[in-house]
Amino acid sequence: MQVDDDSVGAVLNRLRRAQGQLAGVIAMIEAGRECKDIVTQLAAVSRALDRAGFKIVASGMRQCMAVADAGAPPMSEAELERLFLALA
């Protein structure tokens, strides 16, 4: 499965944002910030990573459907289910 070109940019932006947020969390811990603030930022990092993963899976599903329409073997339902569960 490959990610389409349009989705690659969006995924990379989300991953870079998550990378910056994670660096911020590390700095917060090193600075001794409040637990509530750290957990809030960790949740934001987690959501950013989840959204990047969902974008990749959605792109893969679109590609899989297009390939199936072209006569190539599609990704099985079990494979798609495993991808979704990996993000859950």
Side-chain angles (χ1 to χ4, degrees):
M1 173 175 74
Q2 293 182 346
V3 179
D4 64 68
D5 291 340
D6 292 335
S7 297
V8 168
V11 168
L12 288 174
N13 285 338
R14 286 189 174 124
L15 291 175
R16 286 184 183 110
R17 188 175 313 127
Q19 185 178 31
Q21 288 172 317
L22 185 55
V25 169
I26 292 168
M28 291 171 75
I29 292 170
E30 291 173 343
R33 295 279 301 270
E34 293 290 324
C35 180
K36 177 184 160 196
D37 297 335
I38 293 169
V39 170
T40 299
Q41 287 305 308
L42 278 174
V45 171
S46 179
R47 283 190 305 273
L49 291 173
D50 287 344
R51 290 184 62 113
F54 291 138
K55 184 75 169 175
I56 290 169
V57 170
S59 174
M61 288 179 65
R62 278 192 305 275
Q63 178 189 5
C64 181
M65 294 169 95
V67 168
D69 290 343
M75 184 180 292
S76 73
E77 185 174 328
E79 289 172 308
L80 288 172
E81 184 178 341
R82 278 193 297 274
L83 287 174
F84 278 114
L85 290 175
L87 294 170

